Structures are given as structure tokens and as C-alpha cells.
Amino acid sequence: MARINGSRPFPEIPTRHPKVDVPLWVVLAGLAGRMCARLVLFLIRHPVLVGLLLTVLVIRDRYGAAGLGLALLAVVG
């Protein structure tokens, strides 16, 4: 004989409400943390690229656009 509740003898009793309200600031904090973690992983995985970018930024900061142009000319020439 088929039962109304399938093969279980007793119906399942819900223990908690299935909907969970998460505040928006918690979601945004989680996303920001995830982005920071991905940035750190990128920095760890690509040290040569990060070193080159830091070198370019230091040259531009110390000598300006002209110094950056001279460095580029030195690399190309």
C-alpha cells in the first residue's frame, strides 16, 4: 500500500526557516575580502610582472614622464 509521505513512516519536521536574511554590509565585506585574496594570489603567482610594474612606477615617480621615455628608449635601443 502506498503511503502519502512516500516510504517514510513519519513526515519530516522542519527545524528552521529556509530563508536567511544577510545584511548588505556582510555581503559587501565578503566580496571585498574575496577581491583582496585574489589580488594577493595574483601578486604571489606573478612576481616578475609585479617587479616590472613597480620598477616602472618608481622611474615615473622619480623622473617623471621624460625619465620613463628615456628608460623605454634604453630598453628598445
Side-chain angles (χ1 to χ4, degrees), residues 5-60:
N5 196 25
S7 62
R8 291 175 279 163
F10 300 105
E12 186 176 322
I13 300 172
T15 55
R16 64 184 173 106
H17 197 272
K19 182 180 177 189
V20 178
D21 289 328
V22 179
L24 180 62
W25 70 269
V26 173
V27 174
L28 294 177
L31 288 173
R34 187 175 172 185
M35 288 171 57
C36 288
R38 288 185 181 219
L39 177 66
V40 168
L41 282 176
F42 178 81
L43 294 176
I44 291 171
R45 289 180 181 167
H46 305 287
V48 174
L49 179 63
V50 172
L52 286 173
L53 287 175
L54 284 176
T55 303
V56 166
L57 286 176
V58 167
I59 290 172
R60 189 184 64 82

Side-chain angles (χ1 to χ4, degrees), residues 61-76:
D61 184 50
R62 286 191 181 178
Y63 306 110
L68 194 56
L70 287 174
L72 184 62
L73 271 172
V75 170
V76 171

